[in-house]
Amino acid sequence: MSQKGKPIDAPATEDPPYLQPGSIVEVNHEDNVCPRARYTAIIMERATSTNDKRYVVQFTNLYQDRNSGTKLSKEYNSVDIRPLPPPQPPRKFKVGDIVEAYFDDGWYEGKIDQVLDDDRYIFRMSSMFLLFGVNQLRLHRTWLNGNWVPPLDESELAVEEEDSTEKMMESETDNAEASKAGTGNILEESDQKTKEKEEEFSEGAHVEVTNIDGDGSNQAWFAATIVKPVGNNRYLIRFETLRTEDDTGFLEKEMDSSHIRPPPPHIPVPDQFKMFDHVEVLYKGGWWKGVIAEVLPDDSKYLVFLANYDKLECKHSDLRPRQGSIDEN
């Protein structure tokens, strides 16, 4: 069904059900606030301008011209499109949980920074700290090889079977609050400890991966997802911020476990850094090692020497304390 309830004329294709014309999906749409923001859209048709798996979508809450009511339509690669997650009941979160928050008509990825009373949370998104209620949060999930990671539990699967596409559309168009409710399972603490002890990473796990120079030094950490283990403590990973040269998807690479670490634990960022502090700088899609060389007159900016000898002027919001990991030099 289209946004106005009329059937879409595009014929069915051999693609998966969620990529068929008329299907409601979530699209990884580039945003100035957060690089990992997902917006609800409708598959209009498979793009005819290329042989790659690209699709024309129409967003349900983004406009080309708000005055005329014209919805934004755009072409995307299939890697940027995933099914609409089923509605999920609210649940408790803890500091450091990777979640998605409903903000400005989209779902933005970030971390729980503080847990407040009355099911309210301080949510960190890039350089912003925002207050959200539990009904505006859901657990971050990855759509990997046709499955949700972490998987939906039985109660969520029941909701998924009960809700048809028509009901999901109604929840988007007639009841915005309903679309905000949803979370999911949190990995058990005991499971986390087991993985840390065995230094193993499971399929779909969120990690950080270091880039290795010819001299063997690691200069930056990049967010990535484990695609699968390939044996001998090596893993196929998919970067979350680096794309292929032809821009058809996110870059995949086989890496040794010594170059992979879990996402760093939550560490409060100081109100101000000082000279010679060891930091990590958000730069070119990764967290780069650096040292504060100068605190600029504007207290929110610094001059940082990176490990690759580049000199960079940085905002306070683009810095975090240096964090180590096993096997890191």
Side-chain angles (χ1 to χ4, degrees), residues 124-292:
R124 181 173 183 173
M125 176 180 64
S126 186
S127 61
M128 300 175 64
F129 293 84
L130 303 171
L131 175 65
F132 287 103
V134 68
N135 288 332
Q136 295 170 293
L137 298 171
R138 70 185 186 189
L139 181 70
H140 172 69
R141 278 191 167 96
T142 300
W143 180 252
L144 185 65
N145 298 329
N147 296 286
W148 292 108
V149 179
L152 304 174
D153 63 23
E154 292 182 0
S155 63
E156 294 164 338
L157 289 172
V159 173
E160 186 177 29
E161 292 174 356
E162 292 173 2
D163 285 320
S164 64
T165 300
E166 184 70 24
K167 288 183 180 179
M168 289 183 181
M169 173 59 79
E170 290 174 358
S171 70
E172 288 288 336
T173 57
D174 301 330
N175 189 350
E177 290 300 319
S179 68
K180 298 178 184 179
T183 65
N185 295 331
I186 297 177
L187 188 65
E188 293 292 340
E189 183 178 0
S190 60
D191 289 343
Q192 290 177 329
K193 291 181 179 178
T194 299
K195 288 181 175 61
E196 292 171 359
K197 181 178 180 181
E198 298 178 356
E199 298 182 7
E200 293 181 350
F201 301 96
S202 60
E203 179 178 319
H206 286 275
V207 295
E208 288 190 352
V209 178
T210 187
N211 67 329
I212 304 297
D213 278 355
D215 62 358
S217 64
N218 59 325
Q219 298 177 354
W221 292 93
F222 294 83
T225 300
I226 299 292
V227 176
K228 63 179 180 180
V230 295
N232 296 323
N233 291 323
R234 296 184 65 83
Y235 298 83
L236 179 64
I237 63 97
R238 178 182 298 128
F239 288 94
E240 295 181 4
T241 58
L242 303 182
R243 300 181 71 92
T244 56
E245 291 184 359
D246 57 7
D247 199 35
T248 57
F250 291 102
L251 180 65
E252 293 189 355
K253 188 176 182 181
E254 184 177 316
M255 302 196 72
D256 189 85
S257 61
S258 63
H259 302 152
I260 306 172
R261 71 180 185 184
H266 170 76
I267 295 180
V269 176
D271 293 334
Q272 184 177 12
F273 292 97
K274 59 184 183 296
M275 283 185 62
F276 308 121
D277 278 351
H278 289 257
V279 296
E280 292 178 354
V281 183
L282 185 59
Y283 177 58
K284 294 183 177 180
W287 289 98
W288 293 71
K289 292 180 180 180
V291 177
I292 301 293

Side-chain angles (χ1 to χ4, degrees), residues 34-48:
C34 177
R36 291 191 287 270
R38 296 174 177 84
Y39 293 85
T40 305
I42 303 169
I43 299 289
M44 304 303 291
E45 62 181 352
R46 187 164 183 171
T48 57

